[in-house]
Amino acid sequence: MSFSGNVKEELTGRVGRERHCQIAEVAAITMLACEVHETKHGKYFIKLYTENARIARKYFTLLKKAFNITAGVMVRRRKTGRTAQSYLLWVQDSEEVRRVLMAVKVISPDVQATLTMFPENRLIIQKECCKRAFLRGAFLSVGSVSDPDKSYHFELVLDTPAWSRFFKELICDFGPDARIVKRGKHFVVYVKEAEGISELLNLMEAHVSMMEFENVRILKEIGNVVNRRVNCETANLQKTVSSAVKQTEDIRLIEDTVGLDSLSPALAEAARARLKYPDLALAELGKQMNPPVGKSGMNHRLRKLAELAEDLRAHGAVR
């Protein structure tokens, strides 16, 4: 199962203790995943058609707990290269449907009120716990999160700009930096920062998934630190080797033209030490001097040798 599937499986088992939280989650699933129809006689019925067993199971459970309604269930099997299942849930008793729709603020007590499949009335999400439940229902309905081993990406795929603005505001109120992008006919609210995604998993009460996400994140960050150090040390080593090779070439040139005995004692000692220890870093090379000199002192001597070698090249000196 994918990481996103694991998150949804975990969320299926999370049911708010308070009825107002249960209603908030029912509201999200009803508005984002269900079809709500009104007959010409003013009666309503709710239908949820999905291939996702988790959301079907969750909606069935919420209707039972919050409204004591037992939804009708039908499982359909079809073959499309492999056997696939789809689920149909429905509530058609007029009074039961009306209770649900009024509770989630899809219709008002006014009999003439029209269906509003959008939370114009924010009463269902006034409390923070209800906002979390609403977000949980939305994720089950239209959300996904990528495997943290591959990338960091959380998204809700919505049908209208109004919904995308609503969820962007809701997520940003909790802290994570949510953004909107249009993808075909849909509007996607997404979060790409690892810290924000971890916070969203926690807000939705996917605590096990959040810990798994954090473990992967920590291991990746450790790996990145190790890689940066290895790359830095490799670069430094390459720089040291390149410098040592150039210094050796300069000293050989001096030796083959004017000779090392023509140098001052300090420079001659440095030159012979570099020829003898071509792989040593400056600090270690300085310890071979008598008396020992520091890294800066050794660097000064080798720079003088480099300047002499360049001068000899410029004047075409040949022994």
Side-chain angles (χ1 to χ4, degrees), residues 42-71:
K43 295 184 178 181
Y44 299 97
F45 66 91
I46 299 173
K47 182 173 70 173
L48 171 63
Y49 180 78
T50 179
E51 294 181 357
N52 189 329
R54 303 176 193 91
I55 186 174
R57 187 163 68 247
K58 185 65 177 288
Y59 197 56
F60 183 93
T61 301
L62 288 168
L63 288 174
K64 187 67 177 176
K65 283 184 173 290
F67 300 99
N68 196 28
I69 292 173
T70 302

Side-chain angles (χ1 to χ4, degrees), residues 110-127:
D110 182 0
V111 177
Q112 302 300 319
T114 56
L115 287 169
T116 305
M117 298 296 281
F118 184 79
E120 301 283 2
N121 188 329
R122 301 294 180 97
L123 287 175
I124 55 173
I125 54 170
Q126 274 193 326
K127 297 183 177 181

